Amino acid sequence: MSLDLLLRQFRQRSLLTQEELATRTGLSARTIRRLESGELRRPRTATVRALAEHLGLSPAEQQELIAAADQDAPSAPAAVHDELPADILDF
C-alpha cells in the first residue's frame, strides 16, 4: 500500500485530525496534508519515524509505513555518460 493511503488509514484509526497529528509530531498540518494527498513523495526518515511513533503503531506497522515511504520515493536518476563524443577530444 502507498504511503499516502497508509498514513491516512493509520491517522483515522487513531481518531486524530491532520491538525492534531501535526501538533503531536511537531510537523505542520500542511505537511500532513501533502503526505496524505501524495503530493509530498520523499519525506525525511525522521518525519516518517515521528509519524509512526505518534500514531501508536505496532513495530510491524511502523516498518510498513517506513517501507511505504521508501517505496514511494522516486528512484535516483540514471547515471550520466561522462565520455565526450569520439570526435571531441577536449573542451
Side-chain angles (χ1 to χ4, degrees), residues 3 13-14 41-42 46 52 56 61 69-70:
L3 175 63
R13 185 184 71 188
S14 298
R41 300 187 58 85
R42 292 183 66 172
E61 290 170 331
D70 289 341

Side-chain angles (χ1 to χ4, degrees), residues 27-85:
L27 301 170
S28 69
R30 179 177 183 256
T31 296
I32 305 295
R33 275 192 304 276
R34 291 180 66 212
L35 285 166
E36 287 189 3
S37 71
E39 181 183 339
L40 182 58
R41 300 187 58 85
R42 292 183 66 172
R44 295 179 178 174
T45 302
T47 297
V48 179
R49 291 189 187 281
L51 290 165
E53 177 184 337
H54 289 89
L55 285 168
L57 304 180
S58 71
E61 290 170 331
Q62 289 181 22
Q63 289 301 331
E64 185 179 8
L65 190 67
I66 291 166
D70 289 341
Q71 175 185 344
D72 282 355
S75 58
V80 176
H81 196 23
D82 60 358
E83 293 182 20
L84 294 172

